[in-house]
Amino acid sequence: MRVAEGQRADLSPRKLVDAMVSEGVLTAPDSPRGRLLNAAARLFEQKGFTRTTVRDIAAEVGILSGSIFHHFASKEDILRNVMLEVVQYAQARMIHAVARAPTPRDKLRACIRCELEAIHGLAVPGFSILVIEWRSLSAQSQKQVLKLRDAYEATWCEVIDAARPGVDPALTRRLLVGALIHTHSWFKPRGKGLSLEELAEQVLQTFAPE
């Protein structure tokens, strides 16, 4: 039985994952396949797709490399599945946060915070792979991921349109995503100084001043 988006707004992060697993959208994290996907996501982020071998992924979870092919056809198939699940979880998490925010401006703040948390590895493991390893996908795999990514971007544009009537939501989103992704090179979420919440507020003030 699928959980409606409105019902998901009342779920905790763990219950959100559990609901998506029960729907067949996500792989159970503690299943053999889920452990492989999580290990691959970590290694692809740390070493890059090209330098990560199937043997590396197998060693990370303590199995023989040949056992991976009971779950995936190839290393590229692993990357595709990582990206598909990352996009779907990132969107569900963002919709969950937006549904709980009371005003259009609060909803935009929620989107900004969710994406910052994902970019900095605080909530959606493997999110940076969507940008870094896009060219490592085959053309067919890119089409599959792009279809889901378009839905994620559509959620952003709806929120921007409600918070900033009269602006071009697609253009604003392009400017926003550039600004947010670039924080990966200079912002330290666990360091001293600006907190992630304060950074999210600064971004909101820049793109949607009161």
Side-chain angles (χ1 to χ4, degrees), residues 6 22 41 48 55 64 67 107 120 145 150 168 200:
S22 70
R55 183 172 294 180
L64 297 174
S67 300
K107 292 179 188 300
H120 293 280
V145 176
D150 284 348
D168 182 338

Side-chain angles (χ1 to χ4, degrees), residues 115 173-183:
E115 188 150 290
R173 171 56 182 156
R174 291 189 189 101
L175 294 171
L176 254 171
V177 72
L180 295 176
I181 287 176
H182 187 62
T183 66

Side-chain angles (χ1 to χ4, degrees), residues 3-10 95 99:
V3 179
E5 287 179 0
Q7 292 174 300
R8 282 182 178 172
D10 296 325
I95 290 172

Side-chain angles (χ1 to χ4, degrees), residues 87 91 94-95 146-156:
V87 174
Q91 184 181 18
M94 189 166 68
I95 290 172
L146 187 60
K147 183 177 180 180
L148 292 177
R149 198 173 73 179
D150 284 348
Y152 175 82
E153 294 299 328
T155 300
W156 262 103

Side-chain angles (χ1 to χ4, degrees), residues 1 15 31 47 64-65 80 94 122 126 132-133 138 163 189:
M1 180 174 166
K15 288 184 177 179
S31 69
K47 300 175 62 174
L64 297 174
S65 56
R80 178 178 63 86
M94 189 166 68
L122 302 178
I132 298 169
E133 299 296 351
S138 67

Side-chain angles (χ1 to χ4, degrees), residues 190-207:
R190 296 182 180 86
K192 295 180 180 179
L194 199 66
S195 69
L196 188 140
E197 186 173 352
E198 290 168 337
L199 176 60
E201 184 62 31
Q202 289 292 323
V203 175
L204 179 68
Q205 292 289 352
T206 300
F207 287 90

Side-chain angles (χ1 to χ4, degrees), residues 61-150:
V61 297
I63 63 173
L64 297 174
S65 56
S67 300
I68 286 180
F69 299 108
H70 293 298
H71 302 279
F72 303 99
S74 64
K75 189 174 74 166
E76 195 266 344
D77 187 38
I78 299 174
L79 177 63
R80 178 178 63 86
N81 278 278
V82 166
M83 287 190 175
L84 289 172
E85 295 208 3
V86 164
V87 174
Q88 290 179 97
Y89 179 59
Q91 184 181 18
R93 187 172 178 275
M94 189 166 68
I95 290 172
H96 176 270
V98 166
R100 296 168 66 90
T103 70
R105 197 166 184 274
D106 289 330
K107 292 179 188 300
L108 180 55
R109 181 189 289 107
C111 286
I112 292 169
R113 184 182 178 106
C114 281
E115 188 150 290
L116 283 171
E117 289 173 343
I119 288 168
H120 293 280
L122 302 178
V124 186
F127 190 83
S128 66
I129 296 170
L130 293 169
V131 177
I132 298 169
E133 299 296 351
W134 176 252
R135 295 182 184 277
S136 298
L137 290 176
S138 67
Q140 183 60 37
S141 293
Q142 285 184 358
K143 288 180 182 178
Q144 288 180 283
V145 176
L146 187 60
K147 183 177 180 180
L148 292 177
R149 198 173 73 179
D150 284 348

